[in-house]
Amino acid sequence: AEHQHVRYNPLRDDWVLVSAHRVKRPWQGQLEKPPPEDVPRWDPKNPLCPGATRANGEVNPKYEGTFVFPNDFPALQPDAPEPDDSDHPLFQAAPARGVCKVMCFHPWSDLTLPLMSLPEIRAVIDAWAELATELGASYPWVQIFENKGAMMGCSNPHPHCQVWASSFLPNEARLEDQTQRQHLSQHGVPMLLEYAEQEAHRKERLVVENADWLVVVPYWATWPYQTLLLPRRHVCRLQDLTDSEKDSLASIMQRLLIKYDNLFEVSFPYSMGWHGAPTGTFLEEDCRHWQLHAHYYPPLLRSATVRKFMVGYEMLAQAQRDLTPEQAAERLRSLPEVHYKKRAE
């Protein structure tokens, strides 16, 4: 808690420098305007709203729950041509095909996940699992991710996420596949199942927990208030969850995201995403080394306007943080679980 040291991240096989003594320095960091919170509930010009016209001319249905549609500007397309053969090993290319979808969580633009009801969050989880099953029948990787807030590059405040299915395993997936496979081979237990048991026992980095799930600031966290959402039992994929586990997942997500918003009393920005065992042809393979989990990567450091940047040493050497994971977990753990916007109600 007082001195610099490095911590190992077994999931990525890399290290993070923890410089705990630096939190005492006077630097105040970059100041940014907090995001506006006067988002209209419905805006006919917002392409994610019910009944609005999107960029390709299609009109959204007047949906009342979740709504999934093909991304109008996809990063991956199913019919991309093969790249030319390489004439040198330093100049390699490979095929990349896939599909990209957008999923709206709710018809109201001014409602974020922590302000949604548990049945509404459960509907989001059900839609995630359905997409993972549908796209995973053909593609080896289905990446569900949410960029929340303008600070994370999200240009539309309407509550939504993206789902990209690819014909290849992305870098993070390949790395987690290797490290988890190696851990099971060496220790006889899935890495993140063992890790969840350890964190549940130690409790110093625990943020919230229930019968099926726990959320921790991981021992190797890079971002100030980064968290890892883990199931207590061995689950390989999102679509493998039971109905009761989906209910308890909705509850723990709501609790975590309320704490995030309460930390600086702002709609807390983050990037989050689910990682689970690969699909497609991998459905026929042994993937017991995998454990389902979700990463939350928020950028805020000291206030609603002071963020952590990954530059300089982080880009050229390795990740570095000042606030220790234990300090971050304690701050999150101690926050109320009633949203700051609802305390006066």
Side-chain angles (χ1 to χ4, degrees):
E2 297 291 333
H3 305 287
Q4 72 266 18
H5 58 281
V6 292
R7 296 190 183 192
Y8 180 62
N9 180 348
L11 195 57
R12 300 195 74 258
D13 188 27
D14 64 11
W15 295 79
V16 57
L17 171 62
V18 182
S19 308
H21 59 288
R22 279 166 54 91
V23 294
K24 300 173 183 176
R25 74 193 193 284
W27 178 77
Q28 294 301 305
Q30 169 84 13
L31 289 180
E32 299 183 8
K33 279 185 165 184
E37 302 230 2
D38 56 345
V39 177
R41 178 154 293 181
W42 183 81
D43 181 355
K45 296 179 181 178
N46 186 328
L48 298 186
C49 282
T53 302
R54 303 204 307 274
N56 63 356
E58 291 192 23
V59 178
N60 295 334
K62 294 185 177 180
Y63 63 93
E64 297 181 351
T66 59
F67 170 51
V68 179
F69 62 92
N71 194 315
D72 296 327
F73 304 97
L76 292 163
Q77 296 178 325
D79 54 358
E82 296 269 344
D84 294 335
D85 292 335
S86 173
D87 62 356
H88 193 282
L90 293 178
F91 301 93
Q92 296 188 46
R97 299 185 178 92
V99 296
C100 299
K101 293 182 180 289
V102 176
M103 187 181 111
C104 295
F105 297 154
H106 196 278
W108 294 356
S109 292
D110 61 342
L111 209 60
T112 56
L113 279 171
L115 293 170
M116 288 167 57
S117 68
L118 289 178
E120 289 168 339
I121 299 174
R122 168 63 195 269
V124 170
I125 294 167
D126 287 338
W128 282 343
E130 290 168 8
L131 282 169
T133 301
E134 173 195 338
L135 297 173
S138 304
Y139 291 98
W141 191 256
V142 179
Q143 184 60 66
I144 298 167
F145 65 98
E146 178 193 4
N147 293 326
K148 179 171 178 269
M151 196 178 284
M152 299 309 294
C154 182
S155 59
N156 194 314
H158 194 95
H160 71 285
C161 72
Q162 298 189 54
V163 184
W164 294 12
S166 62
S167 61
F168 56 90
L169 287 187
N171 293 341
E172 293 297 313
R174 284 192 298 107
L175 187 55
E176 289 194 5
D177 185 69
Q178 293 168 9
T179 57
Q180 290 180 97
R181 187 185 300 275
Q182 184 177 20
H183 187 93
L184 180 64
S185 174
Q186 293 178 348
H187 302 281
V189 60
M191 178 198 296
L192 292 180
L193 181 62
E194 182 178 8
Y195 179 68
E197 291 171 351
Q198 285 289 321
E199 289 287 29
H201 173 72
R202 295 169 185 257
K203 296 191 180 303
E204 58 188 329
R205 285 169 296 275
L206 190 66
V207 178
V208 286
E209 63 178 329
N210 61 26
D212 300 312
W213 301 87
L214 69 157
V215 175
V216 301
V217 177
Y219 178 78
W220 52 79
T222 300
W223 294 93
Y225 293 98
Q226 175 180 335
T227 54
L228 186 63
L229 171 57
L230 296 161
R232 292 184 183 271
R233 76 171 178 97
H234 187 202
V235 184
C236 287
R237 300 177 177 92
L238 195 61
Q239 52 268 45
D240 297 336
L241 296 174
T242 65
D243 283 342
S244 63
E245 286 170 335
K246 290 176 183 176
D247 285 339
S248 58
L249 175 57
S251 173
I252 204 162
M253 283 176 54
Q254 184 188 63
R255 293 169 63 196
L256 169 65
L257 298 180
I258 286 174
K259 284 180 178 289
Y260 269 160
D261 280 10
N262 284 345
L263 180 61
F264 299 129
E265 295 198 350
V266 67
S267 186
F268 207 69
Y270 59 75
S271 282
M272 71 80 64
W274 284 100
H275 283 174
T279 48
T281 58
F282 289 91
L283 292 169
E284 305 301 321
E285 297 186 11
D286 184 357
C287 290
R288 287 177 298 165
H289 54 290
W290 271 91
Q291 174 74 330
L292 176 70
H293 57 284
H295 297 281
Y296 284 83
Y297 298 128
L300 292 181
L301 174 59
R302 299 183 185 179
S303 73
T305 59
V306 178
R307 63 181 296 180
K308 163 73 174 176
F309 288 97
M310 291 293 179
V311 296
Y313 189 86
E314 290 90 351
M315 294 179 72
L316 297 164
Q318 69 179 34
Q320 182 271 336
R321 63 179 291 126
D322 298 346
L323 186 72
T324 69
E326 294 75 26
Q327 291 168 331
E330 171 58 28
R331 291 184 190 180
L332 290 173
R333 187 167 55 242
S334 64
L335 290 165
E337 295 188 9
V338 176
H339 199 278
Y340 72 92
K341 289 186 175 181
K342 295 186 175 182
R343 287 179 202 158
E345 293 180 3

